[in-house]
Amino acid sequence: MKILITGGTTFVSSSEYFAGKGSEVTVLNRGSREQVKGVRHICLDRMSLGDSLKGERFDVILDITAYTEEHVRALVESGVAFDDYIFVSSSAVYPETNPQPFAETQTCGKNSVWGDYGLNKLKAERYLQSAVPGAYILRPPYFYGKYDNLYREAFVFDCAMQSRPFYLPGNGEMKLQFFNVADMCRFIEILLEKRTQQRIFNVGNRDAVTVKEWAELCYAAAGKKPEFVSVSGDIEQREYFCFYNYEYILDVSRQYELMPETVSLEQGLRGEFDWYRDNPDSVYYKRPYMDYIDKHLS
């Protein structure tokens, strides 16, 4: 396939995956990071495309980096030709007041936890549906896996490698749902093969885990076992922990009808740790959780 991927150099890029499958991959980004080997690079800001994509044709556009309607509009109206368009949206389009698990058929709207981020993703979805009725929209929970440039699992890995205790919010029973980036790529392949009539899919692992279980798996990937410290009271969770105090679950049954198997969280975290251990500078902003813990909680 000829594939155009927006982004393509960091975490949820998928460019290496599809290039490794033999596809002809073009990435569109600003060139701020080293590019994946074996792909063609268009070094531009998506909001300043001009005529750069006129005359170009792709089998599919994988839009990973669009956060607003304007981002999607700029690409769709650039003059580029394509057969399929897949947009990675977000579970943040579901209001937290909806009954859980969130289903694709539910009403979308403002989520007070995610604020404008979710609203902008929703506006991007709605524009895309009007401009490209056949486009696919994916709504993931938390991504994880190789190339993760966010300080989430990496934070726990650092704690494990430094043999630090791990500070949990409350009793550690808040649940999280994850999805491995490799599984997202596999699911995209399935969508392009099956050409399903359904165009919007929640994606993710079927089973959620508690933050305590997640931390235990992260430590285990580093060959360690955590000592936990419970944090209670009015301390803002994001000062010392890498997720907001927000628990939600997506109904991913429609995804599982097409892709019954996903990477286990244990296996996926082992792979992510092995990569992070060899690429500790991959996280571009390491939030000062440890500093806060040492000053205020230890």
Side-chain angles (χ1 to χ4, degrees):
M1 292 187 296
K2 289 188 66 175
I3 304 175
L4 174 65
I5 301 175
T6 64
T9 57
T10 54
F11 184 25
V12 192
S13 68
S14 66
S15 54
E16 183 180 80
Y17 179 91
F18 286 103
K21 292 280 189 172
S23 292
E24 183 181 329
V25 176
T26 298
V27 296
L28 171 66
N29 61 57
R30 291 172 292 184
S32 60
R33 289 175 176 265
E34 183 179 354
Q35 303 302 309
V36 172
K37 293 181 180 179
V39 305
R40 173 190 171 210
H41 180 213
I42 299 176
C43 186
L44 283 172
D45 187 306
R46 68 185 295 154
M47 298 304 294
S48 304
L49 294 175
D51 295 333
S52 60
L53 291 180
K54 284 189 176 179
E56 297 269 7
R57 182 173 189 87
F58 298 94
D59 295 311
V60 59
I61 293 176
L62 304 184
D63 198 349
I64 313 297
T65 60
Y67 293 99
T68 66
E69 174 185 338
E70 290 74 23
H71 287 158
V72 178
R73 184 185 296 272
L75 191 54
V76 170
E77 298 181 358
S78 67
V80 66
F82 54 88
D83 295 328
D84 289 293
Y85 196 115
I86 298 179
F87 171 47
V88 178
S89 183
S90 171
S91 55
V93 301
Y94 296 113
E96 77 279 11
T97 52
N98 278 6
Q100 297 193 32
F102 298 149
E104 296 95 337
T105 53
Q106 289 182 356
T107 301
C108 296
K110 184 174 182 178
N111 182 301
S112 65
V113 176
W114 300 115
D116 288 343
Y117 169 76
L119 281 179
N120 286 333
K121 281 285 194 179
L122 183 57
K123 290 176 182 177
E125 284 189 12
R126 288 174 174 168
Y127 166 75
L128 182 60
Q129 287 174 307
S130 65
V132 187
Y136 288 103
I137 294 170
L138 306 183
R139 295 172 177 166
Y142 293 109
F143 278 122
Y144 81 103
K146 187 179 175 183
Y147 300 119
D148 191 347
N149 60 341
L150 303 174
Y151 202 43
R152 294 196 300 229
E153 286 79 33
F155 165 55
V156 192
F157 296 152
D158 281 345
C159 290
M161 288 188 287
Q162 296 175 32
S163 298
R164 294 174 60 100
F166 194 75
Y167 286 72
L168 282 175
N171 59 10
E173 293 302 307
M174 185 181 81
K175 290 186 176 181
L176 300 173
Q177 189 176 24
F178 291 95
F179 197 45
N180 194 286
V181 173
D183 282 331
M184 182 194 74
C185 295
R186 290 199 304 118
F187 189 63
I188 286 172
E189 286 183 305
I190 290 170
L191 287 180
L192 295 173
E193 176 188 352
K194 301 290 186 182
R195 307 283 175 176
T196 65
Q197 291 301 307
Q198 179 173 329
R199 298 293 164 171
I200 299 177
F201 285 88
N202 291 339
V203 292
N205 293 350
R206 178 182 283 120
D207 298 324
V209 295
T210 66
V211 292
K212 183 177 182 180
E213 292 168 334
W214 169 76
E216 286 173 335
L217 289 174
C218 289
Y219 269 73
K224 300 290 184 67
K225 186 174 181 179
E227 170 194 347
F228 288 117
V229 178
S230 177
V231 180
S232 56
D234 297 328
I235 299 173
E236 171 56 46
Q237 183 167 305
R238 285 286 282 164
E239 295 286 353
Y240 65 92
F241 187 67
C242 45
F243 291 98
Y244 288 103
N245 183 18
Y246 175 47
E247 177 180 288
Y248 71 92
I249 302 296
L250 297 174
D251 178 352
V252 292
S253 56
R254 292 182 174 181
Q255 168 207 310
Y256 270 80
E257 290 174 3
L258 299 176
M259 190 176 74
E261 300 293 333
T262 58
V263 175
S264 72
L265 188 56
E266 180 180 7
Q267 177 186 348
L269 289 173
R270 284 201 305 266
E272 183 176 347
F273 171 77
D274 290 343
W275 178 81
Y276 177 69
R277 180 189 54 206
D278 298 331
N279 299 272
D281 296 328
S282 60
V283 176
Y284 58 83
Y285 175 53
K286 293 191 175 184
R287 292 176 61 95
Y289 301 126
M290 292 185 189
D291 289 345
Y292 184 88
I293 290 168
D294 290 343
K295 291 177 182 177
H296 301 285
L297 300 181
S298 293

